[in-house]
């Protein structure tokens, strides 16, 4: 998973949704009161071969995600990136 304030790229091994398809997503969250982050977006591109990112997947542009949920996602993945950097050092 690669995420920014505008969207995310999901690494997927299997059938990918077509460009411009509306999608919903649910991700776990320890900070969100319901324990999950729910959002909606649109598929902007997909890569079935994995040539552009080393893995197949697709990019979603966020359409509906609350600022609190986006902040939770950003913090969660910054924490994961920090752990990855520590493990690589």
């Amino acid at each position: 998973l690669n995420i920014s304030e505008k969207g995310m790229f999901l690494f997927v091994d299997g059938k990918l949704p077509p460009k411009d398809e509306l999608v919903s997503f649910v991700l776990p969250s320890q900070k969100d009161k319901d324990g999950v982050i729910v959002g909606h977006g649109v598929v902007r591109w997909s890569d079935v071969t994995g040539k552009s990112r080393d893995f197949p997947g697709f990019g979603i542009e966020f359409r509906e995600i609350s600022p609190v949920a986006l902040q939770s996602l950003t913090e969660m993945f910054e924490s994961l990136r920090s752990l990855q950097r520590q493990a690589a050092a």
Side-chain angles (χ1 to χ4, degrees):
L1 179 69
N2 182 342
I3 191 162
S4 75
E5 64 277 353
K6 294 183 180 185
M8 65 181 163
F9 181 83
L10 298 171
F11 300 101
V12 177
D13 187 20
K15 185 177 178 186
L16 303 178
K19 183 179 178 192
D20 298 326
E21 182 168 310
L22 298 175
V23 295
S24 298
F25 56 89
V26 178
L27 299 169
S29 172
Q30 294 178 353
K31 292 190 174 196
D32 193 79
K33 65 180 178 180
D34 297 325
V36 295
I37 294 169
V38 178
H40 307 281
V42 61
V43 175
R44 287 299 176 208
W45 62 276
S46 62
D47 179 1
V48 295
T49 63
K51 288 183 181 179
S52 65
R53 300 226 180 217
D54 296 327
F55 298 98
F58 61 99
I60 297 172
E61 177 186 357
F62 293 143
R63 288 294 175 99
E64 284 183 44
I65 186 168
S66 74
V68 172
L70 182 57
Q71 182 62 35
S72 292
L73 280 174
T74 302
E75 289 174 6
M76 180 171 51
F77 292 108
E78 283 300 321
S79 176
L80 287 173
R81 286 184 192 119
S82 177
L83 290 173
Q84 289 173 337
R85 284 190 293 269
Q86 289 174 6

